[in-house]
Amino acid sequence: MRKISLFSIIMLTATILFSIVACKKADTSITAPAFAKFNLFNAGDTVYNYSVMSTGNTLKVPVGITNISNVDRKVAITVTSRATAGVQYQALPTTITIPAGKAVDSLEIKGLFAGLANGRKDTLIISIVDGGDVPAATYNKRIRVYMQQFCPVVSTNLIGNYANSTDLYNNNPSSNPNYTANISNWTATSATSATVIIKNLGATSDNGWGPFYPTDPAINPGLTAKLDWSNISNTTVIIPTQNYFNDGSGMSTITGTGTFSSCDQIFRITCTVRYAGNGINYTHVSILRR
């Protein structure tokens, strides 16, 4: 019995010593250094299409650090843009604070509706940089924010006369800068698309076949156009190929693509006319404005 008890004591002592050594090894793990980044899932730049509305809507982008601390930590950022802080967007802070015990907070971006009038579009390049309490990561450290105005598309706001319309030929202004175009017959085709009739589009004399008159059977009842605002950062106009006018040499056709602004009520359409008299294509830009 004495021999067995001594052996048991030796084994128990060895087990305790081994456990102590093992615990000490487990406690020597290394904590990785913290880095700051945008909490995104792709390694390259992330693009945000930010439609700025009159309601003052903002864009929030998550910013985080790779480990949690028991103290607040600041993440430094910079902004590069042709836009002016206080005019096109509200000035952003130079640092973002990640509160103690948290790994993520948000950068709030606010575009200024009035500063983006007349179809203006701006890009903000926002980067996380060294200089705060946490250095920038080598990935997910930059975003691009494309900003522009957007107003809800309401049919009654867009139909009617556009009395200050004009055309550009080879980027040169028309010699007849103001004529009246008209948009009518709004027909919804989905929640974000519609067809309309455009009358008197391109009614200048620069190209030799305008102005048009209501008695012209090829212009009355006008041209069918399709409007689409499913992508509110790129509202589009399409004029499918159709008859345009007949000056006696045959039926000339027109096709067009462009954009429109529901805020400014301006349509900008690049049109190509295939003239029946010689078979040549002529291109001009029609700008419909109130």
Side-chain angles (χ1 to χ4, degrees), residues 54 62 69 71 84 88 99 113 188 204 218 249 277 286-287:
S54 59
S69 173
V71 296
T84 302
Q88 279 78 40
F113 184 81
T204 63
S249 60
S286 286
I287 303 171

Side-chain angles (χ1 to χ4, degrees), residues 176-209:
N176 179 21
N178 293 310
Y179 65 86
T180 299
N182 177 274
I183 294 179
S184 63
N185 291 52
W186 183 288
T187 303
T189 52
S190 76
T192 56
S193 63
T195 60
V196 296
I197 298 297
I198 303 178
K199 294 181 180 180
N200 220 34
L201 180 143
T204 63
S205 57
D206 302 74
N207 51 20
W209 51 66

Side-chain angles (χ1 to χ4, degrees), residues 23-34:
C23 288
K24 285 184 177 180
K25 286 185 178 179
D27 291 341
T28 59
S29 58
I30 299 173
T31 301

Side-chain angles (χ1 to χ4, degrees), residues 8 26 34-35 56 62 75 78 132 137-138 145-146 172 210-211 213 222 224 227 245 279-281:
S8 297
F35 293 99
V75 175
T78 61
T138 57
V145 179
Y146 297 147
N172 295 316
Y213 300 98
T224 299
L227 310 184
F245 66 88
I280 295 176
N281 290 334

Side-chain angles (χ1 to χ4, degrees), residues 144-191:
R144 296 175 185 270
V145 179
Y146 297 147
M147 302 190 308
Q148 68 177 62
Q149 265 190 0
F150 181 76
C151 299
V153 176
V154 180
S155 61
T156 53
N157 292 342
L158 292 174
I159 60 175
N161 286 336
Y162 286 73
N164 293 300
S165 299
T166 192
D167 295 338
L168 301 177
Y169 296 88
N170 299 318
N171 295 318
N172 295 316
S174 169
S175 60
N176 179 21
N178 293 310
Y179 65 86
T180 299
N182 177 274
I183 294 179
S184 63
N185 291 52
W186 183 288
T187 303
T189 52
S190 76

Side-chain angles (χ1 to χ4, degrees), residues 31 50 53 57 62 80 85 97 107 114 136 187 198 232-233 245 275 279:
T31 301
Y50 172 28
M53 302 183 185
N57 61 312
T80 303
T97 299
L107 170 64
T187 303
I198 303 178
I232 61 177
S233 64
F245 66 88
Y275 180 49

Side-chain angles (χ1 to χ4, degrees), residues 195-268:
T195 60
V196 296
I197 298 297
I198 303 178
K199 294 181 180 180
N200 220 34
L201 180 143
T204 63
S205 57
D206 302 74
N207 51 20
W209 51 66
F212 301 117
Y213 300 98
T215 54
D216 187 335
I219 301 306
N220 186 13
L223 301 170
T224 299
K226 300 176 181 179
L227 310 184
D228 190 299
W229 58 97
S230 54
N231 178 357
I232 61 177
S233 64
N234 185 33
T235 51
T236 61
V237 183
I238 297 176
I239 298 176
T241 301
Q242 57 200 280
N243 292 340
Y244 192 34
F245 66 88
N246 187 345
D247 63 355
S249 60
M251 182 63 69
S252 295
T253 59
I254 187 172
T255 186
T257 59
T259 60
F260 70 95
S261 168
S262 53
C263 296
D264 302 316
Q265 299 175 24
I266 294 176
F267 289 71
R268 187 182 182 93

